[in-house]
Amino acid sequence: MTTGVRRRMGVEERRQQLIGVALELFSRRSPDEVSIDEIASAAGISRPLVYHYFPGKLSLYEAALKRAAEDLASRFAEPHEGPLGTRLRRVMARFFDFVDEHGPGFSALMRGGPAVGSSATNALIDSVRQAAYDQMLAHMGVGDPVPARLELVVRSWISLVESTALIWLDGRRIPRAELETQLVQDFAALAAVAAAHDEELAALLRDLLKGEPGDGPFTDLAARLISLAS
């Protein structure tokens, strides 16, 4: 019979392990329901040792949230090649992959949790929104200064994506793939309404739509609107 020797972790390695364990637990249940004892048990260490690396549950939650925020922000990164509608469809698929995998934690973050309301948490949430905003402008080839109506459209759409994901988590009553496509079409609809009042935005949209395929989400939206009006 052989006995295994537990490898001693360095400080940063142990911190990263605890963050990973906390994220995994927060993905299955609301952070409010996860105790330090559970985190310690899952990590295979004692409760006092957790406090050696993090002064309390709030600091561990914020560290886990930082990693999750970086992961979520990265979901909006996409090569700037091909039709915009197709790109946004892939972005929404990756976004909902995250929502699916981290449902309770995502919900707790957006609706309220142990660290919500703190300056650190608010800054992390804002960083995700800003990353999404910057990526959307990059996809559209827009630099500074950003047209006022376009900024309103993009930021409103990001808020819509967040709230839609929260509603969807409560029962998942709409097929996920359909919802992802709907959100891409929501962006096109918001942009089209704003473009009716802004020739600069209208010209930008015309250029973007030239490359849309016949079976893309933007073209599909136009066809549906025409059929409703007929």
Side-chain angles (χ1 to χ4, degrees):
M1 180 176 178
T2 59
T3 57
V5 177
R6 180 177 296 176
R7 183 173 65 84
R8 189 179 185 87
M9 291 186 181
V11 173
E12 186 56 28
E13 186 180 9
R14 178 66 79 184
R15 279 179 54 85
Q16 294 304 316
Q17 182 218 17
L18 287 170
I19 291 170
V21 167
L23 265 178
E24 176 62 26
L25 292 172
F26 295 158
S27 296
R28 297 198 295 263
R29 305 204 320 277
S30 168
D32 283 322
E33 300 171 0
V34 178
S35 68
I36 287 292
D37 286 332
E38 287 181 84
I39 295 171
S41 177
I45 62 176
S46 66
R47 176 189 176 95
L49 194 53
V50 175
Y51 286 112
H52 175 73
Y53 294 99
F54 294 94
K57 180 178 169 179
L58 179 59
S59 64
L60 177 53
Y61 177 78
E62 289 180 345
L65 179 59
K66 182 175 186 296
R67 183 186 290 183
E70 291 169 351
D71 182 3
L72 184 55
S74 72
R75 308 288 173 122
F76 287 88
E78 172 76 21
H80 299 161
E81 301 170 355
L84 178 61
T86 303
R87 280 183 262 160
L88 294 186
R89 184 66 179 75
R90 288 195 292 264
V91 167
M92 285 296 93
R94 288 196 299 272
F95 177 84
F96 273 88
D97 281 343
F98 180 93
V99 173
D100 236 348
E101 295 162 10
H102 303 279
F106 178 83
S107 181
L109 168 62
M110 297 303 175
R111 286 180 171 147
V116 170
S118 74
S119 58
T121 302
N122 291 337
L124 286 171
I125 296 171
D126 287 343
S127 73
V128 174
R129 290 170 177 154
Q130 187 61 41
Y133 174 75
D134 292 340
Q135 285 289 341
M136 288 297 295
L137 294 181
H139 282 303
M140 300 180 76
V142 176
D144 290 328
V146 179
R149 282 196 173 89
L150 180 58
E151 179 177 2
L152 181 62
V153 165
V154 175
R155 293 197 185 279
S156 297
W157 180 72
I158 291 168
S159 296
L160 175 63
V161 170
E162 287 178 9
S163 58
T164 299
L166 287 172
I167 295 168
W168 178 77
L169 279 171
D170 188 16
R172 292 174 166 83
R173 292 178 294 170
I174 299 174
R176 193 185 118 173
E178 291 181 14
L179 200 57
E180 291 165 3
T181 299
Q182 178 183 316
L183 283 166
V184 174
Q185 294 176 337
D186 284 340
F187 176 76
L190 287 169
V193 170
H197 304 277
D198 189 320
E199 181 51 39
E200 181 183 5
L201 180 54
L204 173 64
L205 285 180
R206 280 194 291 268
D207 286 341
L208 290 170
L209 291 174
K210 286 177 184 177
E212 289 297 316
D215 60 350
F218 290 170
T219 308
D220 178 61
L221 171 62
R224 289 175 185 273
L225 290 174
I226 291 171
S227 68
L228 286 173
S230 60

PDB file of all heavy atoms in Angstrom, residues 93-106:
ATOM      1  N   ALA A  93     -23.934  33.344 -28.530  1.00  0.00           N
ATOM      2  CA  ALA A  93     -23.796  31.930 -28.154  1.00  0.00           C
ATOM      3  C   ALA A  93     -22.776  31.783 -27.028  1.00  0.00           C
ATOM      4  O   ALA A  93     -23.007  31.045 -26.060  1.00  0.00           O
ATOM      5  CB  ALA A  93     -23.384  31.101 -29.364  1.00  0.00           C
ATOM      6  N   ARG A  94     -21.658  32.493 -27.127  1.00  0.00           N
ATOM      7  CA  ARG A  94     -20.641  32.407 -26.071  1.00  0.00           C
ATOM      8  C   ARG A  94     -21.133  33.069 -24.786  1.00  0.00           C
ATOM      9  O   ARG A  94     -20.841  32.590 -23.681  1.00  0.00           O
ATOM     10  CB  ARG A  94     -19.335  33.051 -26.535  1.00  0.00           C
ATOM     11  CG  ARG A  94     -18.583  32.242 -27.576  1.00  0.00           C
ATOM     12  CD  ARG A  94     -17.147  32.727 -27.693  1.00  0.00           C
ATOM     13  NE  ARG A  94     -17.089  34.120 -28.098  1.00  0.00           N
ATOM     14  CZ  ARG A  94     -17.079  34.533 -29.365  1.00  0.00           C
ATOM     15  NH1 ARG A  94     -17.161  33.648 -30.343  1.00  0.00           N
ATOM     16  NH2 ARG A  94     -17.002  35.811 -29.646  1.00  0.00           N
ATOM     17  N   PHE A  95     -21.865  34.177 -24.912  1.00  0.00           N
ATOM     18  CA  PHE A  95     -22.415  34.845 -23.736  1.00  0.00           C
ATOM     19  C   PHE A  95     -23.362  33.907 -22.990  1.00  0.00           C
ATOM     20  O   PHE A  95     -23.288  33.763 -21.768  1.00  0.00           O
ATOM     21  CB  PHE A  95     -23.145  36.120 -24.157  1.00  0.00           C
ATOM     22  CG  PHE A  95     -23.822  36.850 -23.028  1.00  0.00           C
ATOM     23  CD1 PHE A  95     -23.117  37.736 -22.235  1.00  0.00           C
ATOM     24  CD2 PHE A  95     -25.167  36.649 -22.752  1.00  0.00           C
ATOM     25  CE1 PHE A  95     -23.731  38.410 -21.183  1.00  0.00           C
ATOM     26  CE2 PHE A  95     -25.793  37.313 -21.706  1.00  0.00           C
ATOM     27  CZ  PHE A  95     -25.078  38.193 -20.926  1.00  0.00           C
ATOM     28  N   PHE A  96     -24.257  33.241 -23.713  1.00  0.00           N
ATOM     29  CA  PHE A  96     -25.212  32.351 -23.057  1.00  0.00           C
ATOM     30  C   PHE A  96     -24.552  31.048 -22.596  1.00  0.00           C
ATOM     31  O   PHE A  96     -25.073  30.395 -21.687  1.00  0.00           O
ATOM     32  CB  PHE A  96     -26.418  32.084 -23.961  1.00  0.00           C
ATOM     33  CG  PHE A  96     -27.489  33.122 -23.815  1.00  0.00           C
ATOM     34  CD1 PHE A  96     -27.480  34.274 -24.582  1.00  0.00           C
ATOM     35  CD2 PHE A  96     -28.495  32.964 -22.869  1.00  0.00           C
ATOM     36  CE1 PHE A  96     -28.462  35.251 -24.432  1.00  0.00           C
ATOM     37  CE2 PHE A  96     -29.480  33.929 -22.699  1.00  0.00           C
ATOM     38  CZ  PHE A  96     -29.464  35.076 -23.486  1.00  0.00           C
ATOM     39  N   ASP A  97     -23.428  30.680 -23.180  1.00  0.00           N
ATOM     40  CA  ASP A  97     -22.642  29.577 -22.609  1.00  0.00           C
ATOM     41  C   ASP A  97     -22.251  29.936 -21.175  1.00  0.00           C
ATOM     42  O   ASP A  97     -22.374  29.122 -20.256  1.00  0.00           O
ATOM     43  CB  ASP A  97     -21.371  29.330 -23.429  1.00  0.00           C
ATOM     44  CG  ASP A  97     -21.619  28.540 -24.703  1.00  0.00           C
ATOM     45  OD1 ASP A  97     -22.695  27.910 -24.820  1.00  0.00           O
ATOM     46  OD2 ASP A  97     -20.732  28.546 -25.581  1.00  0.00           O
ATOM     47  N   PHE A  98     -21.792  31.166 -20.989  1.00  0.00           N
ATOM     48  CA  PHE A  98     -21.392  31.624 -19.656  1.00  0.00           C
ATOM     49  C   PHE A  98     -22.601  31.659 -18.723  1.00  0.00           C
ATOM     50  O   PHE A  98     -22.528  31.181 -17.581  1.00  0.00           O
ATOM     51  CB  PHE A  98     -20.767  33.017 -19.740  1.00  0.00           C
ATOM     52  CG  PHE A  98     -20.313  33.565 -18.412  1.00  0.00           C
ATOM     53  CD1 PHE A  98     -19.006  33.391 -17.982  1.00  0.00           C
ATOM     54  CD2 PHE A  98     -21.196  34.240 -17.576  1.00  0.00           C
ATOM     55  CE1 PHE A  98     -18.588  33.885 -16.751  1.00  0.00           C
ATOM     56  CE2 PHE A  98     -20.792  34.735 -16.346  1.00  0.00           C
ATOM     57  CZ  PHE A  98     -19.480  34.549 -15.939  1.00  0.00           C
ATOM     58  N   VAL A  99     -23.703  32.217 -19.192  1.00  0.00           N
ATOM     59  CA  VAL A  99     -24.914  32.309 -18.361  1.00  0.00           C
ATOM     60  C   VAL A  99     -25.379  30.912 -17.957  1.00  0.00           C
ATOM     61  O   VAL A  99     -25.764  30.678 -16.806  1.00  0.00           O
ATOM     62  CB  VAL A  99     -26.026  33.056 -19.124  1.00  0.00           C
ATOM     63  CG1 VAL A  99     -27.345  33.003 -18.358  1.00  0.00           C
ATOM     64  CG2 VAL A  99     -25.620  34.509 -19.363  1.00  0.00           C
ATOM     65  N   ASP A 100     -25.336  29.986 -18.901  1.00  0.00           N
ATOM     66  CA  ASP A 100     -25.723  28.599 -18.634  1.00  0.00           C
ATOM     67  C   ASP A 100     -24.828  27.961 -17.580  1.00  0.00           C
ATOM     68  O   ASP A 100     -25.290  27.262 -16.680  1.00  0.00           O
ATOM     69  CB  ASP A 100     -25.633  27.789 -19.934  1.00  0.00           C
ATOM     70  CG  ASP A 100     -26.951  27.107 -20.274  1.00  0.00           C
ATOM     71  OD1 ASP A 100     -27.842  27.088 -19.395  1.00  0.00           O
ATOM     72  OD2 ASP A 100     -27.085  26.604 -21.395  1.00  0.00           O
ATOM     73  N   GLU A 101     -23.522  28.184 -17.710  1.00  0.00           N
ATOM     74  CA  GLU A 101     -22.552  27.541 -16.824  1.00  0.00           C
ATOM     75  C   GLU A 101     -22.521  28.169 -15.434  1.00  0.00           C
ATOM     76  O   GLU A 101     -22.190  27.503 -14.450  1.00  0.00           O
ATOM     77  CB  GLU A 101     -21.149  27.630 -17.447  1.00  0.00           C
ATOM     78  CG  GLU A 101     -20.994  26.849 -18.742  1.00  0.00           C
ATOM     79  CD  GLU A 101     -19.779  27.292 -19.552  1.00  0.00           C
ATOM     80  OE1 GLU A 101     -18.950  28.070 -19.002  1.00  0.00           O
ATOM     81  OE2 GLU A 101     -19.654  26.876 -20.717  1.00  0.00           O
ATOM     82  N   HIS A 102     -22.829  29.449 -15.345  1.00  0.00           N
ATOM     83  CA  HIS A 102     -22.707  30.184 -14.076  1.00  0.00           C
ATOM     84  C   HIS A 102     -24.034  30.813 -13.671  1.00  0.00           C
ATOM     85  O   HIS A 102     -24.055  31.919 -13.113  1.00  0.00           O
ATOM     86  CB  HIS A 102     -21.636  31.276 -14.205  1.00  0.00           C
ATOM     87  CG  HIS A 102     -20.289  30.777 -14.600  1.00  0.00           C
ATOM     88  ND1 HIS A 102     -19.406  30.212 -13.709  1.00  0.00           N
ATOM     89  CD2 HIS A 102     -19.673  30.730 -15.801  1.00  0.00           C
ATOM     90  CE1 HIS A 102     -18.302  29.856 -14.339  1.00  0.00           C
ATOM     91  NE2 HIS A 102     -18.444  30.158 -15.617  1.00  0.00           N
ATOM     92  N   GLY A 103     -25.141  30.128 -13.930  1.00  0.00           N
ATOM     93  CA  GLY A 103     -26.467  30.694 -13.711  1.00  0.00           C
ATOM     94  C   GLY A 103     -26.688  31.371 -12.375  1.00  0.00           C
ATOM     95  O   GLY A 103     -26.948  32.582 -12.314  1.00  0.00           O
ATOM     96  N   PRO A 104     -26.597  30.640 -11.246  1.00  0.00           N
ATOM     97  CA  PRO A 104     -26.851  31.274  -9.942  1.00  0.00           C
ATOM     98  C   PRO A 104     -25.894  32.425  -9.641  1.00  0.00           C
ATOM     99  O   PRO A 104     -26.297  33.444  -9.094  1.00  0.00           O
ATOM    100  CB  PRO A 104     -26.671  30.117  -8.954  1.00  0.00           C
ATOM    101  CG  PRO A 104     -26.972  28.894  -9.758  1.00  0.00           C
ATOM    102  CD  PRO A 104     -26.428  29.180 -11.124  1.00  0.00           C
ATOM    103  N   GLY A 105     -24.614  32.248 -10.001  1.00  0.00           N
ATOM    104  CA  GLY A 105     -23.651  33.316  -9.759  1.00  0.00           C
ATOM    105  C   GLY A 105     -23.937  34.538 -10.608  1.00  0.00           C
ATOM    106  O   GLY A 105     -23.851  35.679 -10.137  1.00  0.00           O
ATOM    107  N   PHE A 106     -24.288  34.318 -11.872  1.00  0.00           N
ATOM    108  CA  PHE A 106     -24.635  35.428 -12.765  1.00  0.00           C
ATOM    109  C   PHE A 106     -25.870  36.158 -12.238  1.00  0.00           C
ATOM    110  O   PHE A 106     -25.916  37.387 -12.193  1.00  0.00           O
ATOM    111  CB  PHE A 106     -24.896  34.888 -14.177  1.00  0.00           C
ATOM    112  CG  PHE A 106     -25.307  35.936 -15.177  1.00  0.00           C
ATOM    113  CD1 PHE A 106     -24.354  36.700 -15.826  1.00  0.00           C
ATOM    114  CD2 PHE A 106     -26.644  36.153 -15.468  1.00  0.00           C
ATOM    115  CE1 PHE A 106     -24.730  37.676 -16.754  1.00  0.00           C
ATOM    116  CE2 PHE A 106     -27.032  37.116 -16.386  1.00  0.00           C
ATOM    117  CZ  PHE A 106     -26.069  37.873 -17.030  1.00  0.00           C
TER     118      PHE A 106
END
